[in-house]
Amino acid sequence: MSQSTLSTARLELLPLSAEHKEFLYLLDSNPEVMKYIGYGKPLTADESGIVLNHLLETATSGSGLGTWAGFADGEFVGWWVLAPSQTDDTPPKLNNDRAVFGFRVAPNFWGQGFAKEASRELLKHGFQELGVREVLGDTMAINAGSRATMATCGLRHIRTFHNQYDNPPPGIEEGEVEYRITKDEWLALRK
Ligand SMILES: CC(C)(COP(=O)(O)OP(=O)(O)OC[C@H]1O[C@@H](n2cnc3c(N)ncnc32)[C@H](O)[C@@H]1OP(=O)(O)O)[C@@H](O)C(=O)NCCC(=O)NCCS
């Protein structure tokens, strides 16, 4: 199944393509956007290209999962990903039932409800159309915006964990958090 174009009240969500490279770099090169991501620092153009390739790969499982670029009145707002997770096998296999969720919104659109608007559409698409059974998301514990976005979409905090990194971003001492929603929980919220 190929990835569908989706829409919400204000957003057109297009399957991410290589043509969106400049839009991704706009986010990846912004210190505010990257404060709680990776090493907590802006990326170079080359590093952003690697992220783009990684995001493009999320659509290659043929499950309809992938990454979407969101536009409001033709203007780039951000991207959202709903990707297959990886199993613990060696080598890992893709698991389309268990999807991993994430997002970035351009700062000039923050605080206007765009992150949750597109996120809710992706969850609905995943659970209703793509056979997803469970959606997981993680972020740094101090990333209040990301946590609030996941929570307002119905995901619940299930654990806090501490990984070791060579060049950890400031604030990692508080750990990272994992959020989750199952299809049954999502259906129950809609009643
Ligand atoms: C996190 C982010 C996606 C939020 O985008 P947004 O479009 O401003 O979010 P929304 O307006 O849809 O808000 C969603 C919810 O989060 C809350 N929220 C948003 N930013 C917040 C912040 N900085 N602190 C606390 N709550 C915040 C909103 O009040 C809203 O909650 P509600 O529905 O209970 O009222 C955006 O700030 C961003 O892209 N940040 C940088 C990248 C990032 O950290 N991505 C996540 C990586 S895991």
Side-chain angles (χ1 to χ4, degrees), residues 33 37 103-105 109-116 138-139 143-146 148-149 152:
V33 173
I37 295 166
F103 35 74
R104 308 251 197 294
V105 171
F109 289 104
W110 286 359
Q112 299 172 47
F114 281 112
K116 65 181 168 191
D138 60 57
T139 188
N143 191 345
S146 180
T149 301
T152 201

Side-chain angles (χ1 to χ4, degrees), residues 183-191:
K183 182 171 183 179
D184 288 344
E185 288 166 349
W186 179 79
L187 286 170
L189 288 176
R190 294 169 68 84
K191 281 181 186 153

